[in-house]
Amino acid sequence: MHELSMADAIVKTAVDVAEKNDAQKITEITIEIGGLALLNPEQLKFMIEVLSENTLLEGAEVNVEEIPIEIKCESCNYEGPTGSEELDHYMPIVKCPECENVSIKIIKGRECNVKNIKIEKEDEDA
Ligand SMILES: [Zn+2]
């Protein structure tokens, strides 16, 4: 499953960063997912929680932010968000909100990144 491999990569990245920073644990992680990344945010979040068991990420708060899709229309030159709020995460159909053309260029929306990681260090409370 797509979410599983993505979640695995995210957990590894987060743990790697935490270890390099001598963190005792990760308290919070924020991930951003584009509407066209073909990922279900809820499932991704769940899988990160499952995979983070027995790692520095265990118990961390997992935030998922969705990046709006932005397109450039090849027909009318419209550039900006698609405006489609209800998007099927597995079969996204993206078209121009101005002229409904489907020949468009995706400017934004395919991303899936770790945006922010909050860590806790041992000496911080001292
Ligand atoms: Zn258009």
Side-chain angles (χ1 to χ4, degrees), residues 25 28 46-47 53 58 90:
K25 63 182 261 183
E28 198 180 322
F46 173 75
M47 280 177 195
E53 242 175 80
E58 186 170 9
Y90 293 100

Side-chain angles (χ1 to χ4, degrees), residues 73-78 96-101 104:
C73 179
E74 286 177 356
S75 167
C76 73
N77 280 324
Y78 168 85
C96 174
E98 294 290 313
C99 69
E100 307 230 311
N101 198 310
I104 46 134

Side-chain angles (χ1 to χ4, degrees), residues 7-126:
D8 189 49
I10 288 166
V11 171
K12 280 189 182 129
T13 304
V15 170
D16 197 47
V17 169
E19 279 173 354
K20 278 182 185 146
N21 287 285
D22 297 316
Q24 295 305 109
K25 63 182 261 183
I26 300 164
T27 54
E28 198 180 322
I29 180 169
T30 305
I31 299 140
E32 45 182 20
I33 308 178
L36 288 173
L38 301 180
L39 292 162
N40 181 314
E42 284 308 310
Q43 270 192 37
L44 183 69
K45 193 174 162 175
F46 173 75
M47 280 177 195
I48 289 169
E49 282 166 0
V50 170
L51 290 173
S52 64
E53 242 175 80
N54 299 317
T55 73
L56 291 174
L57 190 62
E58 186 170 9
E61 194 179 322
V62 181
N63 302 312
V64 178
E65 287 178 8
E66 287 188 67
I67 303 170
I69 301 163
E70 282 183 28
I71 58 123
K72 183 175 165 63
C73 179
E74 286 177 356
S75 167
C76 73
N77 280 324
Y78 168 85
E79 211 177 310
T82 57
S84 46
E85 302 293 327
E86 288 297 314
L87 195 72
D88 185 327
H89 288 293
Y90 293 100
M91 291 281 290
I93 297 163
V94 182
K95 54 187 178 185
C96 174
E98 294 290 313
C99 69
E100 307 230 311
N101 198 310
V102 289
S103 330
I104 46 134
K105 250 194 201 147
I106 309 294
I107 300 172
K108 245 175 154 182
R110 287 212 175 98
E111 301 87 340
C112 180
N113 307 310
V114 176
K115 189 183 176 191
N116 196 19
I117 298 170
K118 275 189 196 158
I119 54 173
E120 208 171 84
K121 289 191 190 183
E122 202 173 36
D123 57 352
E124 239 172 21
D125 295 333

